[in-house]
Amino acid sequence: MTNSCLVAKLGKFASLSEGDSAMLEALERDEREYRKDQLIQRRGNPIDEMFVVKSGWLTSFSVLDDGRRQLLRLFFSGDIVDLSNVALTVSQHDIKALTPAVLCPFPKSGLEPLFHSSPRLTALLFSMTVRENATLLGRIRAIGRFNAYERLCYLILELGSRLRLAAGHQYAPDGFRIPLTQSDIADLLGLTNVYVSKTMSRIEKDGLIERHGNRIIICEPKRMQNICEFEDSEQIDTSWFPLR
Amino acid sequence: MTNSCLVAKLGKFASLSEGDSAMLEALERDEREYRKDQLIQRRGNPIDEMFVVKSGWLTSFSVLDDGRRQLLRLFFSGDIVDLSNVALTVSQHDIKALTPAVLCPFPKSGLEPLFHSSPRLTALLFSMTVRENATLLGRIRAIGRFNAYERLCYLILELGSRLRLAAGHQYAPDGFRIPLTQSDIADLLGLTNVYVSKTMSRIEKDGLIERHGNRIIICEPKRMQNICEFEDSEQIDTSWFPLR
DNA sequence: CGAATGCTTGAAGCTTATCAAAGCTGGTGG
DNA sequence: CCACCAGCTTTGATAAGCTTCAAGCATTCG
């Protein structure tokens, strides 16, 4: 049994050899702790390291000159922050901790051995990236064409799905905790905190969810899935992967 | 000199060996022609092949039950359609030709030799994917937090940038042609065709662009870049790439 | 206990959507 | 070569959804 978050996550999608696991574990050799709200990466700074998330929630976001803010993505256990940076020399956006977090920093060159000696693991990493890509397309659809009610349903289902996957496909009867303020949610979905509040109340009144603090229970997953045409696609196609 | 669109595009970002070029060329062995508006892939269908775009414009899009539509991405020369599908067994969205197009189909397994025998080329392909990802994040920011005026400026600059890259970094004094209707543009940006029309007129009246049919000339790139905080990041970081 | 932060609720205003009709343009056939 | 047609664009009027502003309430934390 490993305590590597990457192995835990990637292992859900494809079998990993001893060597593959060892390479992933190497990326998590160091640990660094961050407190809530601590800035992890600043826009415009050179990118010299990336991170594996061991615990906690992070977000990358972009702030416009006049203060408008857009949250771009959420990272948690087993995610690599920010793999998008692998192609860049300078960070495009800010990243901060939404909760206390433990990260494992590694240099960009840490990926080189992986690309060099395990085509199969590389294909897996590639597929994960492409899959995140599909998640972003879903968000574009939601922000571009959904009203506030639909967007919130979508976000709740998406987070529920990701958290269930991280927790090993279990449905949690007591729901899940979302460490986001309503302003954060607004900035994720292109809304305002005020309207998020009003719309969440409506969703709750309609019996789709229950709220207890920032813990959410999804009461009517089917109805919610219909509302925002949400489909859970958790598996990836490994059929074309190199054998090793 | 090759006539491979992939080699032409990828070669702009990193040097390619003979072998690498040959592998890319192999993906373009077959050609298939599509007429304008022809459907190339249908949502829900199994994914058995992907395509290199030789010429023409394509779009992937999602249609909701009530007819609302969101264009997700545009593909043109040298792009792989739809690399996002590599991780999936079933297509998540529809893809169609916006203009007459020539595509080179190849099976998903066509990627296997590439992953197997060229870590360097794989790293490049990975970086391209991650870079597209950054483009999507830019669109999320635009749709989530920009008003219609800003969104349109953003789209025009983004297309200008991509087309200049495809054309070898040349500024075209006579602008560029965008084979999109205003309804298409609206569906890309989360607006309506009517409002796109009104806002485009305003952008033109303000002297930022000139329009001649669907050809656009960017008159004041600097001012437009300020309006939507657009930054052109065309290069990728190859410093960590495996040597071969 | 007080201060800070976040949530809720209400009222007014603005951006964008919707509906409708007229103008334009490019392609086709006579 | 002109006339027509279909699809696209433009323009105007009205309406909806969301934002902004503002005040009160709840919860947490030192």
Side-chain angles (χ1 to χ4, degrees), chain B residues 132-176:
Chain B
E132 283 181 13
N133 212 302
T135 306
L136 295 182
L137 293 175
R139 275 259 297 296
I140 287 178
R141 184 184 72 143
I143 300 179
R145 285 296 175 225
F146 285 172
N147 61 30
Y149 197 98
E150 295 163 335
R151 282 184 220 182
L152 280 164
C153 287
Y154 188 85
L155 179 66
I156 292 165
L157 290 177
E158 189 190 315
L159 288 178
S161 163
R162 271 181 80 185
L163 290 169
R164 268 201 306 284
L165 178 63
H169 295 281
Q170 305 156 351
Y171 268 90
D174 60 339
F176 48 91

Side-chain angles (χ1 to χ4, degrees), chain B residues 47 111 123 129 154 183 223 239:
Chain B
I47 295 158
L111 292 177
T129 304
Y154 188 85
S183 294
R223 242 172 88 209
S239 65

Side-chain angles (χ1 to χ4, degrees), chain B residues 48-101:
Chain B
D48 24 47
E49 45 188 13
M50 303 194 295
F51 306 88
V52 179
V53 182
K54 200 119 201 164
S55 67
W57 286 49
L58 317 185
T59 182
S60 67
F61 59 97
S62 168
V63 179
L64 302 183
D65 291 341
D66 62 1
R68 283 177 291 180
R69 190 179 72 138
Q70 176 70 44
L71 297 201
L72 297 169
R73 44 199 334 179
L74 302 174
F75 300 100
F76 36 80
S77 181
D79 290 333
I80 295 179
V81 180
D82 182 2
L83 209 48
S84 305
N85 283 336
V86 85
L88 305 168
T89 50
V90 160
S91 180
Q92 298 265 30
H93 34 250
D94 297 320
I95 298 179
K96 75 166 192 182
L98 290 166
T99 67

Side-chain angles (χ1 to χ4, degrees), chain B residues 14 32 36 53 82 90 101 103 117 121 180 242:
Chain B
R32 207 177 290 163
K36 182 164 144 64
V53 182
D82 182 2
V90 160
L103 306 186
S117 60
L121 187 51
L180 299 170

Side-chain angles (χ1 to χ4, degrees), chain A residues 36-204:
Chain A
K36 182 164 143 66
D37 290 326
Q38 187 170 355
L39 208 59
I40 288 155
Q41 196 168 86
R42 190 185 298 276
R43 175 179 164 203
N45 282 6
I47 296 158
D48 24 48
E49 46 188 14
M50 303 196 295
F51 305 88
V52 178
V53 181
K54 200 118 201 166
S55 67
W57 287 49
L58 317 185
T59 182
S60 67
F61 59 98
S62 167
V63 179
L64 303 183
D65 292 342
D66 62 1
R68 284 177 290 180
R69 190 178 72 139
Q70 176 70 42
L71 296 201
L72 297 170
R73 46 200 330 180
L74 301 175
F75 300 100
F76 36 81
S77 181
D79 290 333
I80 295 179
V81 180
D82 182 0
L83 209 49
S84 304
N85 283 336
V86 84
L88 305 169
T89 51
V90 161
S91 180
Q92 298 264 32
H93 35 250
D94 297 320
I95 298 179
K96 74 167 192 182
L98 290 166
T99 68
V102 178
L103 307 186
C104 303
F106 66 90
K108 207 181 272 196
S109 57
L111 292 178
E112 197 275 346
L114 196 149
F115 274 74
H116 194 76
S117 59
S118 179
R120 181 177 169 79
L121 187 51
T122 305
L124 181 55
L125 199 65
F126 187 73
S127 294
M128 298 307 299
T129 304
V130 150
R131 196 168 164 276
E132 283 181 14
N133 213 302
T135 307
L136 294 182
L137 293 175
R139 275 259 297 296
I140 287 178
R141 185 184 71 143
I143 300 179
R145 286 295 175 225
F146 285 174
N147 62 29
Y149 196 98
E150 294 162 335
R151 283 183 218 181
L152 280 164
C153 288
Y154 188 84
L155 180 65
I156 291 164
L157 290 177
E158 189 190 314
L159 288 178
S161 163
R162 270 181 80 184
L163 290 170
R164 268 201 307 284
L165 177 63
H169 295 281
Q170 306 156 350
Y171 268 89
D174 60 339
F176 48 90
R177 196 177 144 268
I178 299 184
L180 298 170
T181 66
Q182 292 188 351
S183 293
D184 291 333
I185 294 173
D187 289 342
L188 255 178
L189 298 178
L191 299 166
T192 59
N193 57 345
V194 174
Y195 208 60
V196 166
S197 171
K198 291 177 183 176
T199 309
M200 283 287 261
S201 305
R202 248 170 70 219
I203 293 176
E204 189 174 25

